[in-house]
Amino acid sequence: MTIYKLGLNVVLYRKLWIVAILVMIGGPIVLPLLSPVEFHRGLLEPARAQAAWGLAWGVSLLWVFYQSAAIGDHFRKSGLCEYFSSKGFSPSRQIAELSLVVMTFLVPIAITAMLVTLLFAMPSDATEAAHWVKTTIQAGLLFLLVTIPLSVLALSLANRFGCTVGYLVTLSLAIYGLYGVGYLDQLFKENSVPLIEWMWLASPHYHLADLTPRFIFKAGSLETESFFQMIFYFGSLSGIILLMSRMSYSIKSAR
């Protein structure tokens, strides 16, 4: 696990992980106070859940993806990729160990959001609470199924093209899948153009993995069939992204 330790040290040395921890822990406590909970106590739980998952997605997009790109860029520029290749570490193994660095931060982010949702935002009604627990588990799994492959993509693209390119391309893809696809959907409904339809079908529908609206409106958990369909969809999409990541990863040092 030598590569893992080196990659982890790169992130820990920058000290920005302290800010990420403070945001994930303090944000769900402070932000709900900005909502008018004094007029409607039932707003507090959804507000905490919204803050927890909104911050989880935000920290992932703005910090984890960047750190992933920084790791990939650092390993190539420093010649570590070429060095470990000479020691018998295949590109696939290098990506696997560096991916563990990413997961070291993404998994705690997901767990923190889940704990806040379960411990500090649980509805008092028994029926709502049962759905709340199930929705929380579903949200955590979908969150990781989206963010882990994208983080690996940022790492691999940065390894070949540089930190800025790796981060911005991945961030743009994630933002488009989370928010841009919705605008494309509205455009498709208003103008039935085959090109727009094709673009909508080929787009990554990451917005489906964000279950925050279900917490806000207490809409309940996804049906089992629908949830497993989403698992299959995002699993297939993850496979494509990981394949692209493997093809992008380079062991040659930057000259």
Side-chain angles (χ1 to χ4, degrees):
M1 301 296 287
T2 306
I3 297 178
Y4 169 78
K5 293 179 180 178
L6 286 174
L8 187 61
N9 286 333
V10 171
V11 180
L12 295 179
Y13 177 77
R14 300 172 188 268
K15 301 292 191 300
L16 288 176
W17 56 272
I18 300 176
V19 178
I21 292 176
L22 293 176
V23 168
M24 284 301 305
I25 296 177
I29 298 175
V30 176
L31 293 179
L33 299 179
L34 302 178
S35 61
V37 294
E38 65 274 13
F39 298 106
H40 195 315
R41 297 300 301 177
L43 293 176
L44 184 58
E45 293 84 1
R48 284 174 176 168
Q50 180 183 12
W53 289 105
L55 289 171
W57 285 101
V59 169
S60 300
L61 268 62
L62 299 177
W63 180 71
V64 177
F65 288 1
Y66 178 78
Q67 294 301 322
S68 301
I71 293 172
D73 188 46
H74 172 77
F75 263 68
R76 189 186 180 195
K77 285 183 177 179
S78 62
L80 288 172
C81 295
E82 201 167 11
Y83 169 77
F84 281 111
S85 178
S86 67
K87 294 295 183 180
F89 290 75
S90 66
S92 297
R93 180 175 175 181
Q94 292 185 30
I95 293 177
E97 290 202 27
L98 291 176
S99 298
L100 289 177
V101 178
V102 173
M103 294 175 65
T104 299
F105 294 96
L106 279 175
V107 173
I109 288 174
I111 292 176
T112 301
M114 293 173 69
L115 288 176
V116 170
T117 307
L118 293 175
L119 298 179
F120 303 103
M122 181 77 76
S124 57
D125 182 77
T127 303
E128 289 183 356
H131 280 286
W132 197 265
V133 173
K134 190 174 180 180
T135 307
T136 301
I137 296 173
Q138 292 176 344
L141 291 175
L142 292 175
F143 171 82
L144 292 175
L145 199 54
V146 168
T147 54
I148 290 177
L150 285 175
S151 298
V152 177
L153 179 64
L155 187 153
S156 297
L157 290 177
N159 172 265
R160 180 172 290 272
F161 302 109
C163 181
T164 302
V165 173
Y167 174 62
L168 291 181
V169 169
T170 306
L171 180 65
S172 300
L173 180 62
I175 291 177
Y176 172 69
L178 285 168
Y179 309 106
V181 174
Y183 293 102
L184 189 64
D185 184 31
Q186 294 179 2
L187 185 63
F188 169 63
K189 291 178 179 178
E190 296 175 359
N191 303 283
S192 183
V193 180
L195 178 60
I196 298 178
E197 180 181 6
W198 180 87
M199 290 176 59
W200 185 83
L201 291 173
S203 298
H205 294 265
Y206 292 134
H207 60 98
L208 297 175
D210 184 8
L211 302 186
T212 306
R214 290 187 167 270
F215 291 112
I216 297 174
F217 301 106
K218 295 184 178 181
S221 59
L222 293 168
E223 294 183 0
T224 302
E225 183 179 355
S226 299
F227 176 66
F228 280 109
Q229 287 177 349
M230 292 176 65
I231 289 291
F232 176 77
Y233 170 73
F234 288 117
S236 302
L237 188 58
S238 297
I240 296 173
I241 292 177
L242 292 176
L243 179 61
M244 293 171 57
S245 301
R246 173 61 183 85
M247 294 173 64
S248 301
Y249 192 83
S250 175
I251 60 173
K252 295 182 179 179
S253 301
R255 303 299 181 186

